[in-house]
PDB file of all heavy atoms in Angstrom:
ATOM      1  N   LEU A  24    -115.927 236.439  74.664  1.00 83.00           N
ATOM      2  CA  LEU A  24    -114.543 235.959  74.660  1.00 83.00           C
ATOM      3  C   LEU A  24    -114.003 235.903  76.076  1.00 83.00           C
ATOM      4  O   LEU A  24    -113.314 234.953  76.450  1.00 83.00           O
ATOM      5  CB  LEU A  24    -113.674 236.887  73.802  1.00 83.00           C
ATOM      6  CG  LEU A  24    -113.751 236.605  72.313  1.00 83.00           C
ATOM      7  CD1 LEU A  24    -112.967 237.637  71.542  1.00 83.00           C
ATOM      8  CD2 LEU A  24    -113.228 235.209  72.018  1.00 83.00           C
ATOM      9  N   ALA A  33    -107.196 226.860  81.041  1.00 57.00           N
ATOM     10  CA  ALA A  33    -106.164 225.823  81.028  1.00 57.00           C
ATOM     11  C   ALA A  33    -105.815 225.377  79.609  1.00 57.00           C
ATOM     12  O   ALA A  33    -104.818 224.703  79.402  1.00 57.00           O
ATOM     13  CB  ALA A  33    -106.617 224.637  81.845  1.00 57.00           C
ATOM     14  N   PRO A  56    -128.521 236.667  61.876  1.00 79.00           N
ATOM     15  CA  PRO A  56    -129.621 236.574  60.901  1.00 79.00           C
ATOM     16  C   PRO A  56    -130.591 235.443  61.223  1.00 79.00           C
ATOM     17  O   PRO A  56    -131.798 235.587  61.005  1.00 79.00           O
ATOM     18  CB  PRO A  56    -128.914 236.327  59.569  1.00 79.00           C
ATOM     19  CG  PRO A  56    -127.518 235.989  59.877  1.00 79.00           C
ATOM     20  CD  PRO A  56    -127.210 236.557  61.200  1.00 79.00           C
ATOM     21  N   THR A  64    -137.214 228.209  67.938  1.00 72.00           N
ATOM     22  CA  THR A  64    -137.359 226.978  68.713  1.00 72.00           C
ATOM     23  C   THR A  64    -136.902 225.737  67.958  1.00 72.00           C
ATOM     24  O   THR A  64    -136.376 224.808  68.560  1.00 72.00           O
ATOM     25  CB  THR A  64    -138.827 226.785  69.128  1.00 72.00           C
ATOM     26  OG1 THR A  64    -139.653 227.038  67.995  1.00 72.00           O
ATOM     27  CG2 THR A  64    -139.193 227.710  70.259  1.00 72.00           C
ATOM     28  N   LYS A  72    -129.579 226.250  59.255  1.00 84.00           N
ATOM     29  CA  LYS A  72    -128.590 225.345  58.664  1.00 84.00           C
ATOM     30  C   LYS A  72    -127.168 225.908  58.687  1.00 84.00           C
ATOM     31  O   LYS A  72    -126.239 225.207  59.115  1.00 84.00           O
ATOM     32  CB  LYS A  72    -129.011 224.973  57.238  1.00 84.00           C
ATOM     33  CG  LYS A  72    -128.102 223.949  56.615  1.00 84.00           C
ATOM     34  CD  LYS A  72    -128.858 222.974  55.776  1.00 84.00           C
ATOM     35  CE  LYS A  72    -127.973 221.818  55.315  1.00 84.00           C
ATOM     36  NZ  LYS A  72    -126.550 222.115  55.179  1.00 84.00           N
ATOM     37  N   SER A  80    -118.517 222.198  62.249  1.00 88.00           N
ATOM     38  CA  SER A  80    -117.096 222.214  61.870  1.00 88.00           C
ATOM     39  C   SER A  80    -116.238 222.592  63.077  1.00 88.00           C
ATOM     40  O   SER A  80    -115.155 222.047  63.271  1.00 88.00           O
ATOM     41  CB  SER A  80    -116.871 223.160  60.691  1.00 88.00           C
ATOM     42  OG  SER A  80    -116.986 224.491  61.113  1.00 88.00           O
ATOM     43  N   THR A 140    -122.235 218.847  71.236  1.00 89.00           N
ATOM     44  CA  THR A 140    -121.819 217.613  71.909  1.00 89.00           C
ATOM     45  C   THR A 140    -122.056 216.401  71.020  1.00 89.00           C
ATOM     46  O   THR A 140    -121.234 215.498  70.942  1.00 89.00           O
ATOM     47  CB  THR A 140    -122.580 217.440  73.227  1.00 89.00           C
ATOM     48  OG1 THR A 140    -122.573 218.683  73.905  1.00 89.00           O
ATOM     49  CG2 THR A 140    -121.959 216.383  74.082  1.00 89.00           C
ATOM     50  N   GLY A 179    -102.090 192.200  70.701  1.00 80.00           N
ATOM     51  CA  GLY A 179    -103.400 192.749  71.051  1.00 80.00           C
ATOM     52  C   GLY A 179    -104.419 191.644  71.246  1.00 80.00           C
ATOM     53  O   GLY A 179    -104.141 190.479  71.014  1.00 80.00           O
ATOM     54  N   SER A 228    -107.238 174.878  64.078  1.00 88.00           N
ATOM     55  CA  SER A 228    -107.948 173.801  63.379  1.00 88.00           C
ATOM     56  C   SER A 228    -107.983 174.058  61.882  1.00 88.00           C
ATOM     57  O   SER A 228    -107.819 173.129  61.084  1.00 88.00           O
ATOM     58  CB  SER A 228    -109.385 173.674  63.868  1.00 88.00           C
ATOM     59  OG  SER A 228    -109.503 173.902  65.205  1.00 88.00           O
ATOM     60  N   VAL A 251    -104.972 177.439  83.163  1.00 86.00           N
ATOM     61  CA  VAL A 251    -105.262 176.241  83.958  1.00 86.00           C
ATOM     62  C   VAL A 251    -106.414 176.514  84.916  1.00 86.00           C
ATOM     63  O   VAL A 251    -107.324 175.706  85.084  1.00 86.00           O
ATOM     64  CB  VAL A 251    -104.002 175.791  84.725  1.00 86.00           C
ATOM     65  CG1 VAL A 251    -104.353 174.696  85.709  1.00 86.00           C
ATOM     66  CG2 VAL A 251    -102.957 175.302  83.746  1.00 86.00           C
ATOM     67  N   LEU A 266     -91.003 181.610  71.078  1.00 93.00           N
ATOM     68  CA  LEU A 266     -90.953 181.436  69.631  1.00 93.00           C
ATOM     69  C   LEU A 266     -89.716 180.635  69.233  1.00 93.00           C
ATOM     70  O   LEU A 266     -89.756 179.816  68.312  1.00 93.00           O
ATOM     71  CB  LEU A 266     -90.954 182.816  68.956  1.00 93.00           C
ATOM     72  CG  LEU A 266     -91.011 182.870  67.442  1.00 93.00           C
ATOM     73  CD1 LEU A 266     -92.245 182.153  66.929  1.00 93.00           C
ATOM     74  CD2 LEU A 266     -91.014 184.310  66.967  1.00 93.00           C
ATOM     75  N   ILE A 281     -79.541 170.746  64.414  1.00 87.00           N
ATOM     76  CA  ILE A 281     -78.883 172.023  64.657  1.00 87.00           C
ATOM     77  C   ILE A 281     -77.648 171.775  65.496  1.00 87.00           C
ATOM     78  O   ILE A 281     -77.744 171.246  66.614  1.00 87.00           O
ATOM     79  CB  ILE A 281     -79.826 172.979  65.398  1.00 87.00           C
ATOM     80  CG1 ILE A 281     -81.077 173.181  64.557  1.00 87.00           C
ATOM     81  CG2 ILE A 281     -79.151 174.318  65.669  1.00 87.00           C
ATOM     82  CD1 ILE A 281     -82.234 173.698  65.338  1.00 87.00           C
TER      83      ILE A 281
END
Side-chain angles (χ1 to χ4, degrees):
Chain A
L24 278 175
T64 46
K72 185 142 188 332
S80 72
T140 315
S228 323
V251 171
L266 185 58
I281 301 161

